[in-house]
Amino acid sequence: MPATKGKRPASEKSKVNTGAARLAKLGLRSDMDLVLHLPLRYEDETKVVPIREADFMAGSAPQVEGIVTSCEIQYRPRRQLVVTVADETSQLVMRFLNFYGSQVKQLAQGVRVRARGEVRHGFFGAEMVHPTYKIVQEGDPLPTALTPVYPSGEGLSQAYLRKAIANAMTRIDWRDTLSPALLSSLQLGSFDAAVKLLHNPPPAVDEHALADRSHPAWTRMKFDELLAQQLSLKRAQAARRARSAAVLPVVGGLSNSFLAALPFTLTAAQQRVLAEIRADLVEPFPMQRLLQGDVGSGKTVVAALAAAQAIDSGYQAALMAPTEILAEQHFRKIAQWMEPLGVRVAWLTGSLKKKEKNEAQALIESGAAQLVIGTHALIQEGVEFARLGLVIVDEQHRFGVGQRLALRNKGASGQSVPHQLMMSATPIPRTLAMTYYADLEVSVIDELPPGRTPIVTRVLDQNRREEVIARIHAAALEGRQVYWVCPLIEESEALQLQTATDTHATLAEALPDLRVGLVHGRMKPVEKQMVMDAFIRGDTHVLVATTVIEVGVDVPNASLMVIEHAERFGLSQLHQLRGRVGRGTAASVCLLLYQSPLGPTAKQRLATMRETTDGFEIARRDLEIRGPGEFLGARQSGEAMLRFADLQTDQWLVDKARNVAQMLLRDDPATVDAHLARWLGGREEFLKV
Ligand code: ADP
Ligand code: MG
């Protein structure tokens, strides 16, 4: 007896566990998670239509019921199960290309079956290929609600999900988190009615409103979701204000002499954002600010001035960039600005020799290095800062949330964390930034330094390559410098490298009187640097490059850019690449070569590039083409929390949710807690960054 007793629960338990594990993969851990797992769409199994009628319902998926009149395995053209079903009006064939032996037995002659699927006209008349079906008895009742189809995952059947959700619905606390008065002022229905309707809509429901999610039940779900997002955002803000940070109040000797030594004056936009940053740095809680500005708008100097304030106030600042080329460029430029003013600048990347690395680390640890510039190497183990007051992350979208946090944590001690400034040239529309990022202030440089001439962009068929080569030849002879960007080959880095090497060889041959350089991601950092140096000095006329030059590279004399297979790049990538030219006073040209035929999205992207050089406009269109999830990259977005609301179409609800959030936080903390618990459960952590 003990043996059987021990056995049964064990096998049952493992079954439960795999089911639970599969649900967990979909993020469904609690009963409430399950209840809030709403259908993607519905199937109508509430009606049975006569087979003769179904025969005329091409394109829809009617349900029929009849008796199996034959069931046989056929071998031509391939092995398949063919089952004929008849009712009083007509007959049709159910065809299964994959099937189990058990199905052959199950669908024996004389059995009554209910089948649902799209009707097609095959060789033997009407047929359904792989219908969903079940064996029934005469007079078995039909469902009275539409059948929900849920987002699912591997190994999770709809039947299993339906049952799990139905069970969860018997266990949860259905009390509304919002008061009847608030709901009626917002003209929203109750939570339980909305949820129950969405899981089991009555046959008379407005199916279109369900499908496009404009049904009042959906509106309630979206509102709740947006409200939860707004509440957690505001709470995160409050939590940040409750933490402490070094106060960096001194805009002193270094800041002033640095400004005075600059060969240009700041634009009005730069001055404005600098003032915003300066004000944050004197607060006793950590700054969390995103500095957006189009490519070439001059973010680096603003960042350097923020660093100067930290240094003036007796703290260290760190600047992290996503590539070695960019980090090195920042290092040189900023060291050249600051070292004459007595600032000790340290440099740390993965490619340093062990001895150099140790030296840099010692400087950082002792506090002798006031400013530290580098790549991901900055967040590696063994790097300890003495007094890190400000962290700057350039091209922040290139880093994961975890990496940004790691740098910030380098300077954390107890409740105190460094101020954080993130920079990005991929402008995120302000409303999007506000609704997606948990707790982030945004500063925008919306003006380019004076004297820039706009870049002219042309879109050309790849078969005009010869013409293009002749054109860059002429331009180079006039003293202009050229970037030639090789196609992106996502599938294979080796192939991309090969293409770059080939392109370099072809161009060097076609342009024997010019010096043609090559830079790609597989070169050693010193090699890369030598190539870049030669280009910066003007020794190289044409620089063949992979996308390693995509971000940040600043060579003002380069005024011509050719991008091959431009149709393979995304909009923001093209914009970044193009931003490598147009940095000096010479009129710049960007030639986008494409391989025809172009798909509709590629066509749209290239047209956008030709029509505008405004990064904000480009970001807006990119968002339109790709949708917010992909635009921001799932890693960065709070996407997981917005499953139902759509920031484009539901903007009106965002505004309402924001107002209600403010009111509840002020007057009704108990409701705030209840609402967040229901909607976020354990997921709130995710939003803190
Ligand atoms: P990004 O915003 O793309 O990072 P950078 O900081 O690299 O742009 O600046 C682009 C170029 O413009 C650099 O050569 C920089 O020295 C120069 N620059 C920045 N601010 C000004 C200004 N106010 N006037 C003139 N040139 C400027
Ligand atoms: Mg930059």
Side-chain angles (χ1 to χ4, degrees):
M1 211 175 109
T4 43
K5 213 178 172 187
K7 245 180 200 165
R8 259 189 57 202
S11 70
E12 240 159 53
K13 203 168 144 199
S14 77
K15 198 167 164 190
V16 169
N17 276 347
T18 46
R22 285 175 181 157
L23 289 175
K25 256 196 180 161
L26 287 183
L28 305 176
R29 292 183 182 84
S30 66
D31 284 337
M32 192 52 82
D33 290 341
L34 281 163
V35 169
L36 294 177
H37 192 62
L38 297 175
L40 273 180
R41 58 188 176 83
Y42 302 91
E43 282 170 356
D44 188 353
E45 294 173 349
T46 62
K47 292 186 271 294
V48 162
V49 302
I51 293 177
R52 190 205 297 280
E53 239 172 75
D55 201 2
F56 296 106
M57 295 171 71
S60 67
Q63 177 168 250
V64 301
E65 185 174 315
I67 308 287
V68 173
T69 55
S70 79
C71 171
E72 60 180 44
I73 299 173
Q74 292 180 357
Y75 291 89
R76 244 167 277 154
R78 54 176 277 200
R79 188 167 180 271
Q80 51 186 287
L81 178 64
V82 177
V83 181
T84 310
V85 179
D87 67 4
E88 303 79 57
T89 64
S90 186
Q91 64 171 38
L92 61 68
V93 163
M94 305 199 296
R95 191 181 293 280
F96 300 90
L97 302 172
N98 299 304
F99 59 95
Y100 298 106
S102 58
Q103 281 177 288
V104 184
K105 289 204 192 99
Q106 188 190 29
L107 291 164
Q109 212 173 334
V111 157
R112 177 175 287 268
V113 62
R114 219 173 254 169
R116 206 180 143 276
E118 204 175 312
V119 180
R120 290 199 219 144
H121 290 279
F123 193 67
F124 300 104
E127 63 174 42
M128 287 179 179
V129 179
H130 282 261
T132 49
Y133 70 90
K134 67 178 169 201
I135 309 298
V136 294
Q137 304 298 320
E138 185 160 15
D140 272 357
L142 289 162
T144 52
L146 296 178
T147 309
V149 179
Y150 293 102
S152 183
E154 203 184 326
L156 265 184
S157 70
Q158 286 295 324
Y160 185 90
L161 264 173
R162 276 176 207 145
K163 198 154 162 220
I165 291 168
N167 287 340
M169 285 174 64
T170 65
R171 290 188 297 250
I172 64 155
D173 175 359
W174 284 99
R175 260 175 305 176
D176 218 299
T177 52
L178 307 180
S179 71
L182 178 59
L183 289 175
S184 84
S185 78
L186 291 163
Q187 295 179 304
L188 291 172
S190 76
F191 175 79
D192 78 332
V195 171
K196 287 171 182 166
L197 182 134
L198 291 173
H199 284 297
N200 298 303
V205 79
D206 178 349
E207 281 190 64
H208 288 292
L210 277 191
D212 71 10
R213 301 195 169 182
S214 62
H215 192 282
W218 272 121
T219 308
R220 173 66 207 262
M221 291 297 109
K222 292 177 185 182
F223 179 80
D224 274 22
E225 180 178 59
L226 289 165
L227 178 62
Q229 188 197 34
Q230 291 296 327
L231 290 171
S232 69
L233 212 149
K234 298 254 158 61
R235 282 237 164 133
Q237 259 161 12
R240 175 162 63 88
R241 284 179 166 73
R243 304 186 84 167
S244 61
V247 179
L248 308 174
V250 188
V251 176
L254 176 61
S255 302
N256 294 331
S257 21
F258 177 44
L259 261 181
L262 275 181
F264 47 76
T265 51
L266 298 184
T267 62
Q270 284 171 318
Q271 281 171 23
R272 187 186 64 230
V273 300
L274 179 62
E276 288 164 358
I277 294 167
R278 283 184 166 166
D280 281 357
L281 294 180
V282 303
E283 296 286 357
F285 55 85
M287 166 169 83
Q288 195 153 298
R289 188 170 281 279
L290 176 66
L291 173 55
Q292 297 194 346
D294 209 346
V295 229
S297 61
K299 295 182 289 295
T300 317
V301 65
V302 174
L305 279 158
Q309 183 169 342
I311 298 166
D312 267 338
S313 308
Y315 282 83
Q316 292 171 296
L319 167 60
M320 180 164 76
T323 65
E324 292 236 353
I325 290 187
L326 185 52
E328 170 121 24
Q329 179 186 292
H330 282 326
F331 172 63
R332 293 187 171 209
K333 186 161 214 165
I334 294 174
Q336 175 201 325
W337 280 335
M338 290 207 178
E339 277 177 351
L341 305 173
V343 177
R344 188 84 185 260
V345 188
W347 159 241
L348 191 64
T349 67
S351 65
L352 287 186
K353 298 211 180 63
K354 188 144 180 40
K355 182 161 161 277
E356 299 167 319
K357 205 177 279 176
N358 289 341
E359 278 169 18
Q361 285 180 2
L363 289 176
I364 298 168
E365 199 170 335
S366 71
Q370 294 155 292
L371 179 57
V372 185
I373 298 177
T375 56
H376 303 80
L378 290 183
I379 54 179
Q380 247 126 51
E381 234 174 284
V383 183
E384 304 285 346
F385 288 83
R387 280 163 72 75
L388 184 56
L390 169 67
V391 152
I392 303 166
V393 181
D394 195 15
E395 308 292 348
Q396 62 92 27
H397 56 286
R398 291 300 200 89
F399 292 97
V401 168
Q403 292 171 316
R404 295 195 320 245
L405 277 183
L407 183 55
R408 196 188 74 181
N409 290 341
K410 285 282 178 193
S413 63
Q415 269 295 299
S416 175
V417 293
H419 297 280
Q420 202 177 180
L421 178 64
M422 289 164 277
M423 304 198 284
S424 174
T426 305
I428 300 159
R430 196 180 267 268
T431 50
L432 191 63
M434 286 192 315
T435 36
Y436 261 73
Y437 283 91
D439 183 25
L440 195 67
E441 317 268 1
V442 181
S443 290
V444 182
I445 305 183
D446 52 5
E447 161 186 23
L448 292 178
R452 304 269 170 89
T453 40
I455 307 167
V456 174
T457 302
R458 300 215 188 297
V459 179
L460 301 172
D461 195 304
Q462 194 96 9
N463 63 22
R464 292 172 64 184
R465 208 162 176 261
E466 295 302 317
E467 212 177 302
V468 170
I469 293 175
R471 190 154 164 187
I472 63 173
H473 188 209
L477 292 180
E478 281 169 23
R480 299 169 62 168
Q481 287 180 279
V482 185
Y483 289 105
W484 186 290
V485 181
C486 295
L488 178 72
I489 302 173
E490 270 177 351
E491 313 83 64
S492 155
E493 205 195 334
L495 211 57
Q496 174 151 332
L497 198 63
Q498 186 60 46
T499 317
T501 326
D502 292 349
T503 309
H504 176 251
T506 330
L507 286 180
E509 199 185 297
L511 304 165
D513 53 339
L514 298 183
R515 278 182 297 276
V516 183
L518 170 65
V519 63
H520 58 69
R522 277 298 179 83
M523 287 164 100
K524 292 213 184 74
V526 271
E527 293 173 323
K528 264 188 242 174
Q529 197 50 50
M530 274 163 56
V531 176
M532 291 312 295
D533 282 347
F535 194 58
I536 290 165
R537 281 197 310 270
D539 287 354
T540 311
H541 301 106
V542 181
L543 182 62
V544 176
T546 58
T547 47
V548 291
I549 59 149
E550 180 181 337
V551 290
V553 172
D554 184 35
V555 182
N557 192 46
S559 61
L560 221 135
M561 167 162 288
V562 180
I563 303 179
E564 279 199 88
H565 279 288
E567 77 280 359
R568 293 189 193 165
F569 293 90
L571 255 185
S572 73
Q573 217 174 5
L574 286 172
H575 180 61
Q576 284 273 350
L577 281 167
R578 180 173 61 182
R580 299 311 111 218
V581 295
R583 299 188 150 240
T585 42
S588 291
V589 177
C590 176
L591 303 176
L592 302 175
L593 302 187
Y594 66 89
Q595 172 90 57
S596 43
L598 280 179
T601 356
K603 204 175 261 176
Q604 230 176 325
R605 283 200 299 260
L606 296 183
T608 298
M609 289 298 293
R610 191 182 50 224
E611 284 158 23
T612 178
T613 52
D614 175 349
F616 283 85
E617 176 62 18
I618 288 174
R620 201 184 57 71
R621 297 211 201 165
D622 201 15
L623 184 63
E624 247 171 45
I625 300 175
R626 290 199 289 166
E630 227 188 299
F631 176 81
L632 289 174
R635 260 202 316 200
Q636 304 215 12
S637 64
E639 217 194 355
M641 66 167 325
L642 286 187
R643 291 169 289 168
F644 309 134
D646 175 320
L647 292 167
Q648 306 274 44
T649 53
D650 301 322
Q651 188 56 47
W652 64 286
L653 273 177
V654 177
D655 298 337
K656 284 191 181 198
R658 189 176 297 135
N659 293 338
V660 172
Q662 223 140 31
M663 189 266 289
L664 291 175
L665 285 163
R666 193 185 56 219
D667 303 338
D668 193 354
T671 295
V672 174
D673 288 337
H675 195 77
L676 283 176
R678 170 164 291 176
W679 279 88
L680 294 183
R683 284 183 297 144
E684 215 173 345
E685 269 310 302
F686 181 70
L687 297 159
K688 291 243 169 81
V689 291

